[in-house]
Amino acid sequence: MGIVTRAAREYLSVSKGTGKTARSITDQHRDNIATEADHGPWTWGEPYRDTGSAAEFATKGRDDLEKLLADLTSGASGEPGAVLVRWEVSGLARQTGRGVALVDAAEAGGYLIHVTSLDRTFNPRNHGDRHSLISGINDAEKEARLLSERTLRGANSAAGEGRPLRPACRAATAVRCHRRCR
């Protein structure tokens, strides 16, 4: 049997603070292209790209994540067997529910998910692969929430000592306090 060339699309994303560049997207793309040598051949489609936080308290939405999910659900991501290429599993979603929805859509459509940092292609229809993907997404949500708690603790400590808060901390604190007071 000959080598099968699969369609592939990247999901590139980066969190970018004020004054920072989105260099990580370029680095992810370079690494994703290089991984094709071992896991391809792939025919590359237009990548999905998002700049902004995937965290629960982010103020900017991730439009291409939503487009990716819609494309997986509708079949617009290609034929079954097409590959979604992601540099790390944690960037698929930082909310477990959204990540499970993405894995569910990939499973239903027969799509594969390649994670470059793990040097592995996952088939969401395989119970072990599905578990690995969802566990990685769940771990990412846990880390995002821990980071949020640490940031909030630091902001509250600074406020208690009368030190001014950075704008990012003020926004995170206001959102968190607002959610806790509901």
Side-chain angles (χ1 to χ4, degrees):
M1 187 166 150
I3 295 176
V4 175
T5 300
R6 298 181 184 276
R9 288 185 75 179
E10 297 172 280
Y11 176 48
L12 305 167
S13 65
V14 64
S15 295
K16 181 173 118 80
T18 306
K20 296 180 184 173
T21 62
R23 178 176 170 203
S24 180
I25 283 183
T26 303
D27 295 344
Q28 290 172 36
H29 176 69
R30 181 197 62 234
D31 292 351
N32 290 343
I33 295 296
T35 200
E36 179 188 3
D38 293 328
H39 297 279
W42 295 329
T43 304
W44 294 96
E46 187 68 27
Y48 300 94
R49 296 173 182 263
D50 276 321
T51 300
S53 177
E56 178 183 7
F57 302 109
T59 56
K60 180 184 179 287
R62 299 180 85 191
D63 296 337
D64 268 15
L65 176 62
E66 297 308 315
K67 182 174 179 358
L68 167 59
L69 188 54
D71 287 353
L72 289 172
T73 302
S74 71
S77 289
E79 298 293 320
V83 183
L84 170 64
V85 180
R86 176 69 194 148
W87 194 84
E88 63 180 343
V89 72
S90 68
L92 286 171
R94 296 271 165 73
Q95 296 173 328
T96 304
R98 296 301 293 154
V100 171
L102 193 143
V103 172
D104 284 347
E107 178 182 15
Y111 302 113
L112 303 174
I113 299 173
H114 180 82
V115 180
T116 300
S117 65
L118 298 177
D119 195 31
R120 181 153 174 231
T121 302
F122 295 88
N123 180 349
R125 290 182 172 177
N126 174 286
H127 70 278
D129 286 358
R130 178 182 172 81
H131 176 78
S132 294
L133 287 166
I134 292 171
S135 292
I137 293 164
N138 191 42
D139 289 348
E141 179 180 19
K142 177 184 175 186
E143 285 303 315
R145 287 175 179 268
L146 284 170
L147 179 59
S148 178
E149 290 295 324
R150 287 182 203 116
T151 302
L152 180 62
R153 185 187 69 219
N156 288 338
S157 176
E161 295 170 4
R163 290 185 283 135
L165 301 177
R166 296 186 328 243
C169 291
R170 282 195 298 271
T173 303
V175 169
R176 176 56 70 91
C177 290
H178 176 68
R179 288 181 183 225
R180 282 190 175 160
C181 295
R182 284 190 217 176

